Amino acid sequence: MRQDKLLDKLVVTPGRFVFFLGAGTSASSGVPMCAEVVQTLQRQAWVRAVGARGEPFGGPDPEELAAWASRQTGPISREAGESDYSFWMRLSFPNAVERQEEIERWVRRAVPSAGYHYLARLLHTGVVETVATTNFDNLLYDAHRQLG
């Protein structure tokens, strides 16, 4: 649906829409996407493995890094069907508390984007009554709270 048509429907039939937010919604607010997290964790592991000798040259290119990373297992084994994100988080942060703390660091730096502020205004005025999200941040809540 085109943006202008969606806006017309929101105005004509307020409260009848549910917004479903996924990970991409928070990217513009500064929360890293899974692929970005995986590449960062892989690069950090690569630096630990090869030492500082590779860093002055900027490290491996993305294809080289991916090839190197696919050969790594570390002290844990990859579970059947496990995503790269899950594997590299477990490898980098073996303790669940450490993983949680790392995620909280990413979220703490995030600031609600214009989209969150706009959606908060729609909630505040009753145009939208329900928002479902798989995100682990509070950006929509933060934007709504800033309305006063």
Side-chain angles (χ1 to χ4, degrees):
M1 177 177 294
R2 289 185 13 207
Q3 185 176 0
D4 59 336
K5 297 288 184 194
L6 175 60
L7 293 175
D8 288 344
K9 286 192 179 284
L10 283 172
V11 171
V12 172
T13 55
R16 295 195 53 203
F17 288 88
V18 174
F19 276 72
F20 186 81
L21 308 181
T25 312
S26 297
S28 61
S29 295
V31 177
M33 299 287 289
C34 287
E36 184 182 346
V37 169
V38 167
Q39 191 170 43
T40 298
L41 296 176
Q42 289 173 344
R43 186 169 298 281
Q44 290 170 351
W46 180 83
V47 168
R48 285 191 303 274
V50 302
R53 69 180 185 273
E55 217 30 43
F57 302 105
D61 63 46
E63 293 80 23
E64 183 183 354
L65 180 63
W68 175 86
S70 70
R71 297 187 300 271
Q72 305 311 303
T73 56
I76 65 171
S77 59
R78 190 175 203 129
E79 297 174 4
E82 185 176 27
S83 69
D84 284 345
Y85 174 81
S86 177
F87 174 74
W88 283 96
M89 284 294 285
R90 284 190 319 111
L91 183 62
S92 301
F93 307 99
N95 178 309
V97 172
E98 292 173 338
R99 288 191 294 276
Q100 180 66 33
E101 288 171 349
E102 182 64 14
I103 291 168
E104 287 173 3
R105 275 191 287 277
W106 304 335
V107 172
R108 215 175 5 257
R109 294 187 298 252
V111 177
S113 66
Y116 276 115
H117 286 285
Y118 186 69
L119 185 52
R121 174 70 61 193
L122 292 174
L123 283 164
H124 187 73
T125 59
V127 173
V128 172
E129 294 179 355
T130 306
V131 177
T133 182
T134 59
N135 294 353
F136 41 70
D137 59 60
N138 291 321
L139 292 165
L140 180 56
Y141 173 79
D142 293 343
H144 195 266
R145 191 179 59 218
Q146 290 172 13
L147 289 173

